[in-house]
Amino acid sequence: MAIATQTREMNNVEAVREALHDALVNDERVLIMGEDVGARGNVFLITKGFLEEFGPKRIIDTPLAEASIVGVAIGMAMEGLRPIAEIQFADFIYPAFNQIVGEAAKTRYRSNGDYTCPLVIRTPYGGGVRGALSHSVSIEALFYHVPGLKILAPSTPADIKGLLTAAIEDPDPVLFLEHKKTYRLVKGPVPEGHFVLPIGKADVKKEGSQLTVVSYGLYVHQALDAARQLETEDVSVEVIDLRSIRPMDRETILESVRKTRKLLIIHEDNKFGGIGAEIAAMVAEEALFDLDAPIKRLCGPDVPAMGYAITLEEEFMISPERMREAMRELVNF
């Protein structure tokens, strides 16, 4: 793992852009393909100027055909290229489900290691930006059941650069999730130069002694705000940023739970069958008798989609106030 010593302040979307640009500069096998990634420079302007700098053979505008984007990228990856396939919004990924689950994730296994699929599928996900039914979905639970597929959902600029670089260099397919509300909301120092973080390692963003909170994406930041506010009430909360949904850092979670003896899991995706259910089951299997309270999940409601009206969106999203309330409830249990 290479770690640069100099840092530069940037937001999440700038970290995505820098990781992509560095990969294009450093490896001629890397290319980007997707809807509007060329002339427009991506709907969030992440790849603006890339077409002029790297040319149409490496920055490829595609039709509105997600199954084809991923399917073609799989073929490129199996023949030695390093494609980065962009799904403009996570809500549009469903047509590519078979290519991701039925093809990319199985490539190494079904070829007995003769073929790998070094493919990255990037997509913005999540709500809180008035995106309504077709631009607010969380998709992680639809894919984390699938062996052979890595899923990353970092929350800070440094983690985004380090893990996106790791994903591009990984020999197997990686689904890289970027919470769109954090794109310009979250800023932080980012190491300059080639910077890679290990896939599968969670980060303890804040240490504490009375409660463990496990989250990822946007809610890491809100959980941190809630935990820091509770410090004025002498409540000590440890906040773990999962960063990598699969593989999952079981050891960091279990070590923390065995210290604090209480666990709260927070994620935006629907509660039923979500990532929180897997974490809760794992802790129940491995550390049940270390717990002093029932495991609690604070998640999105089980409704088909997030509404456009601000009242519906706010009802779906979990506020820091609800997080503080849940943290107090568990600490006082």
Side-chain angles (χ1 to χ4, degrees):
M1 178 176 64
I3 299 178
T5 55
Q6 299 296 319
T7 63
R8 185 159 51 89
E9 190 85 358
M10 62 180 69
N11 60 31
N12 276 5
V13 78
E14 291 167 337
V16 173
R17 175 181 170 85
E18 179 154 303
L20 294 175
H21 187 271
D22 287 355
L24 287 162
V25 169
N26 295 329
D27 190 342
E28 291 184 350
R29 298 172 300 171
V30 174
L31 60 94
I32 297 173
M33 58 189 302
E35 298 154 8
D36 295 324
V37 300
R40 177 176 167 78
N42 162 283
V43 71
F44 296 101
L45 305 183
I46 291 173
T47 56
K48 187 175 178 58
F50 282 15
L51 178 62
E52 292 77 8
E53 184 173 355
F54 298 102
K57 290 186 178 179
R58 300 184 68 195
I59 309 298
I60 304 170
D61 268 327
T62 68
L64 302 177
E66 284 76 13
S68 296
I69 295 170
V70 177
V72 171
I74 290 171
M76 291 176 168
M78 291 176 67
E79 292 301 322
L81 297 177
R82 294 274 176 169
I84 301 167
E86 177 179 304
I87 302 298
Q88 197 168 61
F89 289 94
D91 313 59
F92 307 161
I93 205 167
Y94 307 129
F97 190 83
N98 181 55
Q99 282 70 27
I100 298 170
V101 174
E103 304 295 339
K106 295 177 179 174
T107 298
R108 180 187 287 275
Y109 189 82
R110 76 179 184 188
S111 69
N112 197 27
D114 289 342
Y115 282 91
T116 60
C117 186
L119 163 67
V120 176
I121 304 164
R122 286 186 45 248
T123 190
Y125 77 106
V129 294
R130 308 295 304 282
L133 274 68
S134 297
H135 299 82
S136 301
V137 73
S138 295
I139 59 166
E140 52 270 31
L142 296 176
F143 293 96
Y144 89 123
H145 178 71
V146 181
L149 182 65
K150 298 181 177 74
I151 305 176
L152 308 180
S155 63
T156 68
D159 289 349
I160 284 174
K161 180 178 177 180
L163 286 170
L164 182 51
T165 302
I168 295 168
E169 296 177 356
D170 196 276
D172 294 303
V174 179
L175 179 58
F176 195 86
L177 304 179
E178 302 158 10
H179 198 294
K180 65 177 78 70
K181 188 174 175 65
T182 71
Y183 266 163
R184 291 180 172 81
L185 180 68
V186 176
K187 298 180 180 179
V190 178
E192 293 189 337
H194 188 255
F195 173 64
V196 182
L197 289 172
I199 292 174
K201 182 63 179 172
D203 186 36
V204 179
K205 296 292 193 211
K206 176 185 176 302
E207 294 191 355
S209 60
Q210 295 176 294
L211 168 67
T212 296
V213 171
V214 177
S215 190
Y216 54 92
L218 170 67
Y219 284 168
V220 168
H221 302 285
Q222 296 186 358
L224 282 169
D225 289 343
R228 287 167 182 148
Q229 290 176 30
L230 287 179
E231 287 180 335
T232 62
E233 303 174 21
D234 293 327
V235 173
S236 178
V237 178
E238 183 150 300
V239 179
I240 295 176
D241 183 355
L242 202 57
R243 300 195 300 190
S244 176
I245 291 172
R246 185 164 187 164
M248 185 179 290
D249 187 351
R250 299 157 55 96
E251 290 73 20
T252 294
I253 296 170
L254 289 169
E255 181 180 350
S256 177
V257 168
R258 287 178 173 132
K259 178 178 69 173
T260 67
R261 308 182 76 84
K262 294 176 180 176
L263 173 61
L264 171 64
I265 305 157
I266 304 175
H267 62 64
E268 186 178 319
D269 202 357
N270 303 117
K271 183 175 184 178
F272 187 89
I275 308 301
E278 176 61 30
I279 297 172
M282 184 269 291
V283 171
E285 283 184 337
E286 303 289 339
L288 179 64
F289 298 109
D290 294 305
L291 297 176
D292 286 339
I295 299 167
K296 185 176 180 62
R297 288 178 287 162
L298 194 57
C299 312
D302 287 321
V303 297
M306 191 178 300
Y308 175 76
I310 191 166
T311 50
L312 295 176
E313 186 178 73
E314 288 178 347
E315 182 64 24
F316 191 106
M317 303 290 287
I318 304 167
S319 67
E321 289 75 21
R322 287 177 60 196
M323 293 183 188
R324 287 199 299 273
E325 184 180 331
M327 291 175 187
R328 283 195 198 96
E329 178 184 333
L330 266 179
V331 167
N332 294 324
F333 182 88

